[in-house]
Amino acid sequence: MNKFNNKCSVEKNEQLGRYVVAVQDIDEGETILTEKSILIFPVLGDETQRCCQCFKKTGDICKSCKKFPICASCGPHNDFECQILQKLDKMPRKLSNVFGVIRCLIQMENFENVEFAEVFDSMEAHQTERRGTAIWKTHHKTTIEPLLQSNIKSLIKSVDVDTDLLQRICGVFDVNSFEIRAPGGLGCLRSLFPYAALLAHDCVANTMVSIDDHFQMKISSNRPIKAGEMVTYCYTNPLWGTSKRRESLLVGKYFNCMCKRCEDSSELGSHMSSVLCPSCSEGALIIRNFNWRCIECNTIEDPIKVEEIVADAEVSVKESEGNLRLLETTLRRYSKILHTNHHLLVDLKQNVCAILRKLIMNPAFNPNVELLQRKAQLCGEILEVLKIVQPGISRMKAIALQEFAMPTADIARMQFDSGKITKEQLKKTLEKCQQDLKEAARMLFYEPVESPEGQLARNIMLDLKELQEEIKDVGSWE
Ligand SMILES: C[S@@+](CC[C@H](N)C(=O)[O-])C[C@H]1O[C@@H](n2cnc3c(N)ncnc32)[C@H](O)[C@@H]1O
């Protein structure tokens, strides 16, 4: 069964396994797939007790099986599941580590749900590459040993519950699951969407994913996709530098990313991993054939030295977290050493913006023009990076655009009030902010209405209405 729209086809090759290709041109913003999650489970080690139905926090437990937490308002969980759990002698102490595997085994056992076992069987687990690795050992200790010490093996008859099967299940989870927001935005969960998981990875992907409160996923194209192009999704954080993205993909997904961005030493001209040249101070050092070479003066820098600089910067960024003064000092210090778009500087800028956002939103605080200017400047700089690494419709870009436009409008109002700019300049700035907000709202149109981004889109629409009135008003002043 192909749940993709009829412009997509599932293909298979040696390098990628199964992947999805556009067989017709796809327009920007077209829905490519909608899919309901087949399994939701906690992130390993999460201590929060969550209802097995709605995944909200709960202190209640099913009165029949006395194993799975369930909130009173959710009613009983699946009868077949409950009956098996009633016979389970020993529930491992840390439910979060075994919940997904237990539910998966019970679904495999349920003959009314043969599709689950078939779909699960077809999913990639990279069992050979994982065998004996650190993650294999962690799963063995946290999940597999506690389960094998219970009587689960005797309760599941359709499959042989042994180490190999349990490791395969953990592998399928690690390779294929999507991280999703827990209800109410409190923490994270992992979820399996087997069709969505067929999309291959690209660090500059051509789709965007949104998941609503009912764990329904929607994948839409974030730019036009030509017939013959692969339909891709980004498995990692696009705001990380190449070495960190590649490492996370190699360790977590077992492949070496060879996408255009990873293969280009300047990261498509974004310079998110570039270091400033100590010789000419203007050029960027980029890595080519294991050498850091300046793109302006051709100086070659010792790779060990460059790696040390980046490692030191990484430590300083970590140590600065949450402290505005320290963040600004680290930002100033490393702006003289790293390229302005370096991912560590972007990280610092995001951290500063988060603190400034909280300050600005506090009704008891009256932000001055300098603070608003700083926020607008940093958001503008982050936006420039996002324009390169997220060229299509992007949630991150929409948020940065809104966070850039709002203080920019406030600054213009303050400057007009103090006589620093004219009425025409104020109107022009407000009109530009209006354009930016419209663009942000357009990009957030694809978000579920009840999500924080959906709420942001509604707030932007209200701001836009007020801005439109204000622009009209300014235009009518004598
Ligand atoms: C979520 S699965 C995708 C579906 C999988 N290809 C299948 O046949 O079930 C992720 C796996 O697909 C492969 N893959 C995805 N994108 C890739 C890429 N850009 N380069 C190489 N392998 C990729 C890797 O084996 C990765 O672990």
Side-chain angles (χ1 to χ4, degrees):
M1 187 171 61
N2 187 351
K3 291 195 180 180
F4 289 96
N5 77 9
N6 58 7
K7 296 185 176 177
C8 294
S9 155
V10 178
E11 307 288 331
K12 193 173 179 178
N13 72 19
E14 197 58 27
Q15 185 210 359
L16 300 165
R18 294 168 302 166
Y19 60 99
V20 179
V21 173
V23 286
Q24 287 177 44
D25 289 353
I26 299 174
D27 291 332
E28 178 186 83
E30 256 192 73
T31 302
I32 286 170
L33 171 76
T34 52
E35 185 177 16
K36 188 109 184 99
S37 165
I38 61 158
L39 193 70
I40 298 164
F41 48 99
V43 175
L44 210 66
D46 182 3
E47 300 279 345
T48 321
Q49 181 166 308
R50 295 185 185 279
C51 168
C52 68
Q53 300 277 79
C54 67
F55 294 91
K56 289 184 184 142
K57 284 185 185 179
T58 182
D60 297 334
I61 203 127
C62 169
K63 289 192 174 63
S64 305
C65 67
K66 299 188 180 62
K67 302 286 180 347
F68 275 3
I70 191 155
C71 38
S73 55
C74 272
H77 60 125
N78 180 280
D79 194 39
F80 182 82
E81 175 176 87
C82 191
Q83 281 181 25
I84 293 192
L85 288 175
Q86 283 172 34
K87 293 182 222 143
L88 185 66
D89 58 355
K90 200 164 101 192
M91 181 54 118
R93 210 162 38 84
K94 273 209 175 148
L95 179 62
S96 66
N97 292 347
V98 292
F99 176 86
V101 178
I102 293 180
R103 186 162 259 184
C104 183
L105 289 170
I106 297 176
Q107 298 225 51
M108 284 173 172
E109 184 72 0
N110 190 347
F111 287 110
E112 282 176 19
N113 192 3
V114 275
E115 205 196 334
F116 180 88
E118 276 172 22
V119 167
F120 204 87
D121 269 356
S122 70
M123 292 176 96
E124 180 62 81
H126 287 292
Q127 190 84 328
T128 314
E129 295 94 318
R130 289 167 60 87
R131 199 172 291 277
T133 58
I135 188 74
W136 178 280
K137 289 177 188 156
T138 303
H139 282 309
H140 192 82
K141 201 156 177 253
T142 56
T143 309
I144 293 163
E145 254 177 11
L147 279 174
L148 290 178
Q149 279 161 12
S150 75
N151 64 339
I152 190 105
K153 194 173 165 67
S154 65
L155 303 176
I156 305 292
K157 309 219 166 53
S158 59
V159 281
D160 192 8
V161 181
D162 58 7
T163 302
D164 247 44
L165 175 72
L166 298 177
Q167 280 288 1
R168 200 189 116 69
I169 294 174
C170 295
V172 167
F173 288 179
D174 290 345
V175 172
N176 296 274
S177 69
F178 286 77
E179 205 156 273
I180 63 173
R181 257 188 214 130
L186 302 165
C188 280
L189 292 165
R190 292 165 82 196
S191 181
L192 282 185
F193 297 91
Y195 288 93
L198 291 174
L199 263 57
H201 161 86
D202 194 295
C203 291
V204 186
N206 52 24
T207 65
M208 54 194 167
V209 167
S210 60
I211 299 164
D212 70 16
D213 274 5
H214 309 287
F215 307 114
Q216 168 102 13
M217 173 183 275
K218 186 173 83 174
I219 298 194
S220 322
S221 47
N222 64 26
R223 61 164 175 81
I225 304 174
K226 286 247 161 284
E229 254 189 87
M230 200 152 48
V231 180
T232 58
Y233 166 68
C234 182
Y235 296 177
T236 182
N237 186 343
L239 287 183
W240 284 347
T242 293
S243 64
K244 195 165 172 189
R245 290 195 319 280
R246 271 189 158 162
E247 197 194 330
S248 86
L249 293 166
L250 189 60
V251 170
K253 308 288 177 183
Y254 307 92
F255 70 91
N256 225 326
C257 187
M258 307 290 270
C259 76
K260 269 196 193 142
R261 179 175 167 196
C262 283
E263 288 289 276
D264 176 6
S265 5
S266 78
E267 300 205 26
L268 308 175
S270 70
H271 289 287
M272 282 193 75
S273 297
S274 305
V275 174
L276 292 182
C277 172
S279 300
C280 70
S281 304
E282 279 180 15
L285 295 174
I286 58 171
I287 193 149
R288 213 168 260 167
N289 302 328
F290 306 102
N291 271 325
W292 287 89
R293 183 190 288 272
C294 175
I295 52 172
E296 292 294 328
C297 70
N298 265 327
T299 296
I300 293 179
E301 196 53 52
D302 177 5
I304 295 177
K305 211 168 134 192
V306 176
E307 275 155 32
E308 272 172 11
I309 289 172
V310 175
D312 284 351
E314 217 156 356
V315 173
S316 300
V317 171
K318 266 227 141 50
E319 285 172 354
S320 313
E321 254 168 43
N323 181 331
L324 184 58
R325 202 179 46 82
L326 214 53
L327 282 166
E328 286 285 21
T329 310
T330 312
L331 190 48
R332 250 194 320 275
R333 176 162 167 228
Y334 281 101
S335 293
K336 294 183 198 128
I337 300 171
L338 306 174
H339 188 281
T340 180
N341 290 348
H342 193 281
H343 63 97
L344 290 173
L345 293 188
V346 173
D347 194 359
L348 283 167
K349 290 171 189 177
Q350 281 185 307
N351 272 303
V352 173
C353 282
I355 296 177
L356 297 184
R357 182 188 311 129
K358 268 197 192 148
L359 281 174
I360 292 170
M361 279 167 73
N362 180 353
F365 182 80
N366 214 354
N368 60 21
V369 76
E370 286 77 21
L371 190 137
L372 293 170
Q373 274 168 337
R374 184 69 179 142
K375 171 109 188 303
Q377 181 203 357
L378 294 178
C379 288
E381 288 174 16
I382 296 169
L383 203 52
E384 289 312 305
V385 179
L386 286 170
K387 280 181 189 165
I388 304 171
V389 296
Q390 301 240 289
I393 300 170
S394 137
R395 181 182 302 142
M396 281 199 237
K397 222 162 63 184
I399 295 169
L401 208 47
Q402 186 264 354
E403 295 220 338
F404 170 73
M406 295 304 280
T408 303
D410 282 338
I411 296 163
R413 291 179 191 115
M414 284 177 171
Q415 287 179 330
F416 177 75
D417 288 345
S418 60
K420 289 204 177 90
I421 60 170
T422 63
K423 176 186 92 167
E424 287 71 27
Q425 285 170 314
L426 171 65
K427 186 164 177 268
K428 211 168 151 198
T429 306
L430 294 181
E431 280 168 349
K432 171 73 178 59
C433 293
Q434 186 184 33
Q435 254 176 33
D436 288 346
L437 288 180
K438 277 187 185 164
E439 177 60 0
R442 183 186 76 85
M443 292 196 277
L444 293 175
F445 168 76
Y446 302 90
E447 301 296 332
V449 279
E450 74 282 8
S451 67
E453 291 80 12
Q455 180 60 50
L456 178 62
R458 281 196 295 283
N459 290 345
I460 293 178
M461 294 313 288
L462 295 175
D463 289 335
L464 269 170
K465 222 170 158 191
E466 279 181 20
L467 201 53
Q468 197 174 0
E469 291 299 314
E470 189 182 353
I471 292 168
K472 234 200 274 167
D473 202 27
V474 175
S476 69
W477 292 342
E478 282 303 309

